[in-house]
């Protein structure tokens, strides 16, 4: 389907539209989904946002958030709504497995499907793809998409606030390399719509639970430093999570702290999930070293060049650390060469 045809559909009569995003939604998943939700609603469509599962409480203030359905809690009404949808938007994921059981529903639906995403090499079967891995956030793409669809008139303070939140969180507060002049232009346009940047910051970064700080302390004190390979890894066992009173979202961003050490180019955190029998892996890098590649080779995962994730099918933390040691030894030269200051 070409852009003109999609524009005609969206500017035509009211449609039943479903927006889905990836499991364990983050600020960008929620920001892009709710940003688009408000724009499409303002354009007269009937819109539902459905996430695979619940999201952290630091996102539970976003405009429209109370209308979001979690598929795991709303299977039968989600099923009916997805089957009755005219259009489905897939946001912020590149592989249908990232939405788990919700994927089978989306695949079975006869709706026209649109993918908007900034991950590498999308492989989702859709009618219209807007994919750009140079974009800092899917939320920024929602702004460009609205422009492409000639729908910027429907961008209001609520949608702008959601899009801003997605950009803020996925860009590491405008610090990551893919933050561009265009990103800042978009932010400027969003702020003209009335985004309260201070309020958003308070909601996202100044509203942590005590358990988060306890776990941050724990993960930092558990840090293994591999200075010869310019890498660090942190760990949190289920026992440590339970003792601190872990809540969803508490450990978001911990992995970035490893990179704040001078001359460390790769950081990793392993977090045990006893009920699933796995250890979840998060990886970050400085410079051009690809943790996406490392995750594919060593941790059954994928992601972006500087941010990737995966998992190990074990709860043996010692094994996880030894696997990391093996990985950073394997990539040692590339890690050391990464982020060389010009
Ligand atoms: P995070 O470390 O924040 O969980 O994930 C960083 C990025 O890695 C995500 O944006 C996502 O693209 C990717 N990612 C995380 N976990 C997985 C995983 O288990 N499988 C795959 N394929 N990608 C993942
Ligand atoms: Mn994203």
């Amino acid at each position: 389907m070409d852009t003109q045809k999609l524009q005609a559909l969206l500017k035509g009569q009211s449609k039943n539209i479903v927006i889905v995003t990836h499991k364990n939604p983050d600020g960008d998943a929620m920001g892009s989904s709710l940003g688009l939700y408000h724009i499409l609603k303002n354009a007269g469509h009937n819109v539902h946002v459905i996430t695979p599962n619940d999201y952290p409480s630091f996102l539970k203030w976003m405009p429209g958030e109370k209308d979001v359905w979690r598929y795991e809690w709303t299977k039968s009404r989600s099923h009916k709504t997805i089957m009755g949808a005219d259009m489905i938007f897939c946001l912020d994921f590149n592989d249908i497995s990232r939405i788990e059981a919700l994927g089978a529903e989306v695949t079975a639906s006869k709706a026209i499907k649109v993918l908007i995403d900034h991950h590498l090499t999308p492989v989702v079967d859709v009618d219209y793809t807007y994919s750009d891995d140079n974009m800092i956030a899917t939320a920024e793409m929602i702004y460009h998409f609205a422009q492409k669809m000639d729908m910027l008139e429907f961008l209001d303070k609520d949608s702008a606030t959601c899009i801003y939140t997605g950009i803020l969180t996925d860009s590491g507060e405008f610090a990551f390399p893919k933050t561009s002049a265009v990103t800042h232009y978009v932010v400027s346009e969003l702020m003209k719509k009335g985004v309260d940047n201070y309020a958003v910051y308070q909601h996202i970064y100044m509203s942590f639970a005590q358990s988060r700080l306890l776990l941050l302390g724990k993960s930092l004190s558990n840090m293994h430093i591999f200075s010869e390979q310019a890498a660090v890894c942190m760990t949190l066992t289920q026992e440590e999570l339970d003792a601190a009173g872990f809540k969803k979202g508490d450990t978001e961003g911990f992995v970035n702290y490893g990179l704040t050490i001078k001359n460390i180019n790769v950081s990793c955190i392993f977090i045990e999930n006893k009920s699933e029998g796995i250890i979840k892996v998060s990886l970050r890098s400085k410079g051009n070293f690809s943790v996406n590649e490392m995750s594919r080779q060593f941790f059954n995962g994928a992601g972006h060049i500087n941010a990737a994730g995966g998992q190990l099918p074990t709860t043996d933390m010692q094994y996880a650390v030894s696997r990391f040691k093996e990985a950073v030894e394997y990539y040692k030269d590339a890690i050391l060469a990464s982020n060389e200051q010009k």
Side-chain angles (χ1 to χ4, degrees):
M1 175 178 293
D2 62 24
T3 302
Q4 261 178 340
K5 194 161 174 207
L6 183 61
Q7 189 188 88
L9 280 174
L10 289 172
K11 296 193 79 170
Q13 57 180 209
S14 174
K15 305 274 185 309
N16 292 314
I17 299 180
V18 169
I19 298 172
V20 297
T21 191
H22 62 77
K23 191 189 174 193
N24 298 330
D26 58 8
D28 189 32
M30 297 310 293
S32 56
S33 297
L34 288 168
L36 182 63
Y37 166 81
H38 291 292
I39 291 170
L40 295 176
K41 262 182 69 149
N42 293 343
H45 298 295
N46 177 27
V47 194
H48 287 96
V49 176
I50 306 178
T51 58
N53 61 346
D54 199 16
Y55 41 87
S57 58
F58 68 81
L59 298 173
K60 290 183 179 166
W61 57 271
M62 295 175 70
E65 172 275 315
K66 296 231 163 358
D67 302 329
V68 173
W69 294 354
R70 280 64 141 186
Y71 180 68
E72 64 180 7
W73 301 340
T74 59
K75 283 204 173 116
S76 86
R77 67 187 149 112
S78 290
H79 171 77
K80 270 191 221 129
T81 305
I82 293 169
M83 293 310 145
D86 302 308
M87 301 182 77
I88 299 177
F89 282 82
C90 298
L91 303 189
D92 201 37
F93 64 90
N94 60 351
D95 185 331
I96 203 80
S97 69
R98 295 277 290 146
I99 62 172
E100 301 208 327
L102 186 50
E105 304 271 13
V106 170
T107 303
S109 170
K110 300 258 186 300
I112 291 164
K113 292 162 202 165
V114 178
L115 177 81
I116 304 178
D117 179 50
H118 69 138
H119 296 88
L120 292 162
T121 50
V123 286
V124 188
D125 184 21
V126 293
D127 301 282
Y128 184 92
T129 298
Y130 172 29
S131 158
D132 185 349
D133 65 51
N134 282 313
M135 284 283 156
I136 190 74
T138 300
E140 183 185 325
M141 298 174 76
I142 297 301
Y143 180 91
H144 300 306
F145 179 75
Q147 189 163 37
K148 263 209 263 214
M149 294 295 121
D150 190 26
M151 293 175 81
L152 276 183
E153 65 189 289
F154 302 115
L155 180 78
D156 59 2
K157 182 180 174 181
D158 284 348
S159 48
T161 300
C162 297
I163 293 172
Y164 178 85
T165 302
I167 297 175
L168 179 76
T169 54
D170 249 29
S171 69
E173 298 153 63
F174 310 110
F176 296 154
K178 284 179 185 170
T179 307
S180 68
V182 176
T183 308
H184 284 283
Y185 165 79
V186 170
V187 167
S188 157
E189 293 299 300
L190 298 173
M191 291 190 74
K192 285 183 203 159
K193 294 287 174 187
V195 174
D196 183 343
N197 61 306
Y198 184 72
V200 173
Y201 193 87
Q202 297 294 308
H203 281 301
I204 301 281
Y205 299 109
M206 306 293 272
S207 307
F208 292 146
Q210 280 181 36
S211 49
R212 178 181 166 95
L213 270 278
L214 294 173
L215 286 166
L216 178 60
K218 187 49 88 182
S219 62
L220 293 177
S221 66
N222 289 347
M223 185 184 282
H224 300 254
I225 304 184
F226 302 96
S227 0
E228 272 177 44
Q229 294 83 3
V232 302
C233 85
M234 294 169 269
T235 62
L236 284 172
T237 62
Q238 187 71 59
E239 202 176 321
E240 290 166 335
L241 293 163
D242 293 345
F246 169 79
K247 285 182 293 301
K248 202 176 193 64
D250 274 353
T251 59
E252 200 90 13
F254 282 10
V255 64
N256 296 308
Y257 283 93
L259 292 183
T260 64
I261 304 175
K262 190 170 182 175
N263 296 331
I264 291 297
N265 292 339
V266 169
S267 174
C268 168
I269 188 165
F270 291 115
I271 302 176
E272 181 184 351
N273 183 329
K274 199 165 194 176
S275 66
E276 290 184 25
I278 61 160
I279 293 176
K280 180 80 188 97
V281 186
S282 275
L283 292 157
R284 298 291 184 271
S285 69
K286 283 182 196 156
N288 59 10
F289 178 72
S290 172
V291 283
N292 168 48
E293 178 65 26
M294 185 194 251
S295 189
R296 284 172 191 272
Q297 292 299 326
F298 284 84
F299 299 111
N300 312 303
H304 314 263
I305 289 174
N306 298 118
Q311 58 184 58
L312 290 170
T314 174
T315 56
D316 180 348
M317 199 54 93
Q318 266 186 325
Y319 167 75
V321 174
S322 67
R323 184 87 178 139
F324 182 71
K325 197 173 171 192
E326 203 183 314
V328 296
E329 188 54 39
Y330 181 80
Y331 290 112
K332 184 176 171 180
D333 295 342
I335 299 172
L336 289 170
S338 191
N339 201 43
E340 276 172 349
Q341 300 300 320
K342 290 180 199 90

